[in-house]
Amino acid sequence: MKAKLYKDYLLKHLQDPERAAGYLTECYKLGEAEFLIALRDVVEAHGGIGQISKAARLNRENLYRLLSHGGNPTLASLNTILAVLGLKLEFAPDKKAP
């Protein structure tokens, strides 16, 4: 039951673009698989695969595949999904780099 409550809490908070952006950023730092799981969570928080695929004009089955564990979204498809979610991809200098 606690996992369900956490998932509900997470999805509610991921509806906020600032929180969604922070969540995706932190999960991206953990790795590709973690990022794809996080992106699926954000998609779910914004209405799910069906609604996002329609808004992004992407085939539903392709979107499922892109967001799967072994998915490999292109930069174009990732940007399309993020745009529908009200997010954008950004880069920042690595302050640890020489």
Side-chain angles (χ1 to χ4, degrees):
M1 185 65 173
K2 287 184 180 186
K4 170 93 170 95
L5 292 175
Y6 172 75
K7 186 72 169 193
D8 291 343
Y9 172 85
L10 176 66
L11 295 178
K12 179 181 178 202
H13 283 82
L14 291 178
Q15 292 172 0
D16 173 44
E18 291 289 327
R19 288 184 172 166
Y23 181 65
L24 289 172
T25 299
E26 292 306 312
C27 289
Y28 180 81
K29 292 176 186 176
L30 296 173
E32 183 179 330
E34 291 82 358
F35 174 74
L36 289 175
I37 291 168
L39 187 55
R40 284 195 306 264
D41 288 341
V42 175
V43 165
E44 185 178 346
H46 285 86
I49 296 282
Q51 188 170 336
I52 299 303
S53 66
K54 195 177 289 186
R57 296 187 179 143
L58 294 172
N59 179 288
R60 183 183 197 140
E61 290 78 25
N62 288 344
L63 186 55
Y64 273 116
R65 235 177 279 124
L66 290 173
L67 299 178
S68 71
H69 178 70
N72 190 14
T74 65
L75 192 54
S77 61
L78 180 60
N79 281 327
T80 299
I81 296 165
L82 292 175
V84 168
L85 298 171
L87 301 168
K88 65 181 177 178
L89 187 61
E90 291 186 338
F91 295 92
D94 185 353
K95 295 180 181 176
K96 293 183 268 179

